Each structure stands twice: as structure tokens, then as C-alpha cells.
Amino acid sequence: MEYHIDFSETREPVTAQPGDTVLEALLRAGVPFPHSCQVGNCGTCKCELIEGEIFELPYSEHALSEDEKAKKHVLACRAQVWGDVKVRAIDIEGISLGPIRSLRGRVISLTQLTHDIREVRLSLEAEGGALAFAAGQYAQVEFAPGISRHYSMANTPDEIDPVFHVRHVPGGRASAFVAEKLKVGHGVRVTGPYGSSYLRQHHAGPVLLVAGGSGLAPIESILRTLIPRANGAAILLYFGVRSEKDVYHETILRALAASYDKLRLNIALSEQPGRGRRNGLLHEVIAADRIDFCGYMAYLAGPPAMVDAVSGIVVQMGLEHRNLHADAFYNQP
Ligand code: FES
């Protein structure tokens, strides 16, 4: 038995097997539907259920607001199909993203950013051309057969050489390889782009950027892409790390703040107070600022616990759910 998903952005209905999620069926049909975690945490796969019944798998309370549920918004990754359904895309900009490609490349530089984060800069082979992506997206980087991970691009889409910030995670095979074995000249394969927490070009209002640790990579890409077109809009950046030795790229961030006077930079240490630093976990620091986030577009990147806590607080502080874009590093041990 097969079911059909009538989707607003495709001419023909998409075929689904019983028990498929809407997202599984759309991706299998080649529809580049916005998604990230695929387990109901991030909320980036929202769509509107127009007709038919779905079975909803469990999901995070932060992924959909009560208001969205009342409007029959559902998470495509949690909506199991047990009959024909009709759904409508909410985030049309996400549907038009470019195709996923797999490109060969080479390491051209390695830079130690902190005691446990290395910057890896690649050059992709000429016949493959540049990796087309939107600021904030990530790619799968394969360093050796079976040793691959998702890492966010820290460069902007205009910069040809992909740059990644790789944190050495205890027990992480790919990050251990990067920390201990990777050398300049090493061959790699990059597949992407992926991820839905990318810069929304249509938004002309204020922007909130929140980065935890090496989550600064996609946030820096968004920030450097955004500033030349921000047109006087306020940009609030919160960068949270554990202690002073984990802070990196501060000189770059301060130079950006000096070049754009509507950028406010907050660096927060969670485990020890520091001179000129905010102190506390990111959601605590943001809550203390008592900002009304109504009208803001927000981008969050970092560990899942940080993303969940900040998501909850900024929505309480007025941010509309549909303006919250988050890629937690769910799939990066
Ligand atoms: Fe569906 Fe994250 S992809 S909630």
C-alpha cells in the first residue's frame, strides 16, 4: 500500500510508504525540504497540515508553540503518514536551496584556535568548483574512509575555500583524527550543503546571534555575510564558552563591531568570572538583558543543552517561534 503527500511546492504528489514521516517521503523524492535534527528538537521542518490525519511522534516542547499547533503546524520529521495528506510549506526560502554535491579537496592550512579547537581550511578541486551554500549551513567532511562528521562552514558563501572549526571531543573519531593526525596536503571529501539554520535574506529587522563554543563557526559566517547588507539594523551577538582559554576570534569579532556600530558583542564565561566578560550560562546572560525580541530573527548554534535553554528563554522574551533558527550539534559527539 502507498499513500500520497500533496505538497504545495511540487507539481505531482509525493509517494509515501505507511509509517514514513512526511520529511522522509519528501527527501526521498528529492525535495530539498528544510530540516536539521530529524528528531523533533530544532523545529526547522515545520509545515502546515491542510488535509488528512497524521500520527505525531514525540518532540521537544520548544519545537512548536501552542499558537503554531493551533494553526495546524506540524513537524515534518515527526508526522507519520497513515493515509493521504496535504501539507503546505511555511518557509519557502528553504525549499529553493541548491543541490547537495560531493567534492574532493585538500587541507591548505591548520590553525590552533584554542587548546581544543583547530581551524581547518580546505581547497576544493577545480573541476568540482566552489561549494555553494547559504551562511549558517554545514557539510559532511570525510577525512579518511569511515571518519567523517558534520561541520559548519565558518567562511562566507562568497569565499571560495571552505573553513571549519573542529573541536577535539573526547571519544570523537573525526575530531581526534583532526587533532592528532591531520596534516596540510591531506585529501578530504566534502558533501553538502545541509542545514536549515541559514541566513534569511528577506529579513530587514534586528538579528540575534547566539554561539556556544565552536558553534561560533556558522554564526561568524552569518555575521560577516549579514553586516554589509544590515542597513542599520541592530545585531546582538552572544558568544558563550566555559572559561577564558576557550575564547577565540575575539579580535575578528571586535573588528566587526568597530566596523558596524549597531553590532553589540557579548562574550560570556560560564565557569569563571573574567574581566570585561559577562558571567553565566548563555540563557541566563540573555535573560538578564531583558530585551523584547519581538521582530527579531534569531540564529543559534552550539551544544543541544545550550540551544534548548536559549530557545526557551528567547521565545519567553517575545521572539516568534517561526523566527528561531537553530542547528544544535546533535550529530557531533
Ligand atoms: Fe524536524 Fe528538527 S528536523 S524538528
Side-chain angles (χ1 to χ4, degrees), residues 35-45 75 77:
H35 67 283
S36 180
C37 69
Q38 302 196 41
V39 290
N41 282 321
C42 68
T44 50
C45 65
L75 299 173
C77 75

Side-chain angles (χ1 to χ4, degrees), residues 70-259:
K71 289 182 190 156
K72 295 199 83 177
H73 290 186
V74 296
L75 299 173
C77 75
R78 302 279 85 192
Q80 273 188 337
V81 178
W82 294 101
D84 291 348
V85 294
K86 186 170 180 179
V87 294
R88 181 156 57 204
I90 296 171
D91 187 356
I92 305 287
E93 201 174 325
I95 309 291
S96 60
L97 288 177
I100 292 166
R101 295 162 69 208
S102 187
L103 305 170
R104 277 209 307 249
R106 202 153 289 285
V107 177
I108 56 169
S109 74
L110 292 165
T111 309
Q112 205 66 36
L113 298 176
T114 69
H115 62 105
D116 64 352
I117 299 176
R118 243 181 162 187
E119 180 191 90
V120 180
R121 186 175 296 266
L122 306 177
S123 169
L124 298 177
E125 287 186 1
E127 73 265 26
L131 181 73
F133 68 98
Q137 288 194 291
Y138 60 84
Q140 182 182 51
V141 186
E142 186 177 24
F143 296 103
I147 300 183
S148 68
R149 274 286 155 207
H150 290 157
Y151 295 106
S152 300
M153 279 68 83
N155 55 304
T156 68
D158 295 340
E159 296 166 344
I160 291 171
D161 297 334
V163 177
F164 303 95
H165 299 170
V166 179
R167 188 167 85 84
H168 188 186
V169 182
R173 285 180 73 207
S175 69
F177 187 91
V178 170
E180 294 156 11
K181 298 200 175 122
L182 194 66
K183 300 269 185 294
V184 171
H186 188 92
V188 296
R189 179 168 284 280
V190 177
T191 306
Y194 300 109
S196 308
S197 185
Y198 52 83
L199 180 62
R200 266 53 179 183
Q201 306 277 2
H202 66 268
H203 176 75
V207 173
L208 169 67
L209 301 173
V210 184
S214 59
L216 184 61
I219 295 299
E220 199 180 300
S221 177
I222 289 174
L223 177 62
R224 291 197 295 112
T225 307
L226 175 63
I227 285 178
R229 61 191 75 169
N231 246 335
I235 305 175
L236 273 179
L237 169 61
Y238 291 85
F239 176 32
V241 294
R242 286 192 179 146
S243 63
E244 195 62 45
K245 71 181 193 316
D246 301 306
V247 177
Y248 71 97
H249 275 194
E250 183 173 4
T251 310
I252 293 172
L253 297 176
R254 298 237 172 257
L256 290 170
S259 74

